[in-house]
Amino acid sequence: MLKAFAYRIYPTKPQLKGLEEHLNRTRELYNAALQERRDAYKKTGRSVTAFEQMGSLVEVKEGRPEYRRIHAHVLQGVITQLDRAFQGFFRRVKAGEKAGYPRFKSKDRWDSFHFKQVWDNSRDNWFGPGKPVGSNRIRLPNIGDVRIKWHRPLAGRPKTLTIKRDGEHWYAVYVCEVEPQPLPATGGEVGIDLGVNPNFLVTSDGEFVPAPHYYRKAEAKLRRQQRVVSRRKRGGGGRKKAVAALKRLHRKVRNQRKDFHHKTARKLLEANDVVYHENLSAKAMSRSRLSKSILDMGWGQFLNILYGKAAEAGRRVVGVNPAYTSQICSGCGHVQKVPIGKPYECGACGLVIHRDVNAALNILRMGRGVYPSADGQGLPLGESGEVAHARRPQKPPALAVG
């Protein structure tokens, strides 16, 4: 499996100038390659391939000597990035989705460049870009030996290297091929119900994880700093400093949220072999009146982290249809609507239970039907292999409780 390792790098002033030059030149190449594709299609009705554009890089270096100071892998990576953007565009057009034609990149929308290979398989050693030259430095071609903070060991075999700028910080991101490290089996299974307030998630075991609300807590500072940016003159030094301060605030919120997601996911996977969750569309739900709270929770990022950690730890993460999970009684299968914030009081069997715990129990039972548990418990499967009530019907059927 592939795993990313990000390390902070500390370039000197000359090295910083070289990094900025790489960003400017690669952004210029991306925009020129995009313009070439657009013009070719308008004039001839044919598309320029990535292979053709990579072949023309020799001519680019002959006409523009400054491109000779940039590693060939970096220039090829720019063309590959553009080609992937077009592949995504055509895929969305074919699927009937909102396509989003690839657009030109401004300076604020281009913050990384990429080495597509850092390991020589024929020699079984480091290739060149990103090769460690000491205990605290890595070698970047045409930039120099840049100081790096190895805050954790680099595991596996490095495949690619990306140099990324985040505000005034710079990072080296290695993508490595690593072997999974399975955790000891626990025999546990859990269903989780994601929320926004007051809990980030509630488990079928009755555990409540409070919502941290990092963006909400920092919102007043962000609003004040945004007003400072608005008052500064465009293009001036004061505005650049104000924008940098605003980016630092956003970066802190982003890092706090990611750290919380990593720790929460790790805790779930250490205690359970299988984790069941609702297949929620965070993108669609973010258009509702709860959009700010949903985006503050970062459900999509949390689930991506959960799936990634599960693959490394040998665990399973299973998504189920969210239809009626909060309306079905986990005790008898009776279906009724329950106001948000109120406990679930079943009108059939009299069960009184926390609304979110009830939903998590239903998610657990539905998940066991999709991915049967070791003890064989769970809902009966239909002909298609899905739980009988997994698709939203005209009338919700009663839940078969075993």
Side-chain angles (χ1 to χ4, degrees), residues 7 16 102 154 172 177 215 267 269 286 290 330 336 376 381 383:
Y7 302 94
L16 182 61
L154 184 64
E177 192 174 43
Y215 178 81
K267 185 178 179 181
L269 295 173
S286 64
L290 297 174
S330 59
Q336 66 181 40
L381 298 179
E383 294 180 0

Side-chain angles (χ1 to χ4, degrees), residues 334-348:
H334 175 70
V335 180
Q336 66 181 40
K337 291 186 178 181
V338 180
I340 295 177
K342 300 291 184 179
Y344 190 99
E345 299 182 8
C346 181

Side-chain angles (χ1 to χ4, degrees), residues 381-392:
L381 298 179
E383 294 180 0
S384 63
E386 296 182 352
V387 181
H389 67 276
R391 295 179 297 276
R392 184 177 291 273

Side-chain angles (χ1 to χ4, degrees), residues 2 28 42 64 68 146 169 180 203 211-212 267 288 338 354 378 385:
L2 298 178
E28 182 183 41
K42 287 181 180 179
R64 299 285 298 277
R68 299 175 188 173
V146 183
H169 294 174
T203 72
K267 185 178 179 181
S288 67
V338 180
H354 192 281

Side-chain angles (χ1 to χ4, degrees), residues 309-345:
K309 287 185 177 296
E312 183 182 10
R315 304 300 206 212
R316 289 293 303 269
V317 179
V318 181
V320 302
N321 192 306
Y324 301 108
T325 53
S326 61
Q327 300 179 24
I328 299 173
C329 175
S330 59
C332 68
H334 175 70
V335 180
Q336 66 181 40
K337 291 186 178 181
V338 180
I340 295 177
K342 300 291 184 179
Y344 190 99
E345 299 182 8

Side-chain angles (χ1 to χ4, degrees), residues 34 69 72 77 84 107 156 162 175 200 294 298 325 343 346:
L34 174 57
R69 298 191 295 269
R84 288 175 179 170
K107 188 175 181 180
T162 300
V175 175
F200 172 71
I294 292 173
T325 53
C346 181

Side-chain angles (χ1 to χ4, degrees), residues 256-394:
Q256 286 177 321
R257 184 185 297 120
K258 183 179 291 187
D259 180 71
F260 169 75
H261 287 165
H262 275 283
K263 291 177 178 177
T264 304
R266 185 69 180 181
K267 185 178 179 181
L268 283 172
L269 295 173
E270 284 180 343
N272 301 280
D273 293 340
V274 188
V275 178
Y276 303 102
H277 70 92
E278 294 175 298
N279 270 330
L280 298 172
S281 176
K283 183 177 180 180
M285 296 181 68
S286 64
R287 301 190 186 102
S288 67
R289 60 185 180 85
L290 297 174
S291 59
K292 187 180 291 188
S293 297
I294 292 173
L295 294 174
D296 189 15
M297 293 301 99
W299 291 344
Q301 177 178 266
F302 170 72
L303 291 177
N304 286 337
I305 290 174
L306 185 64
Y307 273 92
K309 287 185 177 296
E312 183 182 10
R315 304 300 206 212
R316 289 293 303 269
V317 179
V318 181
V320 302
N321 192 306
Y324 301 108
T325 53
S326 61
Q327 300 179 24
I328 299 173
C329 175
S330 59
C332 68
H334 175 70
V335 180
Q336 66 181 40
K337 291 186 178 181
V338 180
I340 295 177
K342 300 291 184 179
Y344 190 99
E345 299 182 8
C346 181
C349 67
L351 174 68
V352 179
I353 189 174
H354 192 281
R355 184 178 187 272
D356 295 336
V357 174
N358 180 74
L361 286 169
N362 289 329
I363 293 168
L364 175 62
R365 287 201 176 95
M366 292 173 64
R368 282 174 170 171
V370 175
Y371 179 67
S373 59
D375 58 9
Q377 295 181 1
L379 298 174
L381 298 179
E383 294 180 0
S384 63
E386 296 182 352
V387 181
H389 67 276
R391 295 179 297 276
R392 184 177 291 273
Q394 295 297 323

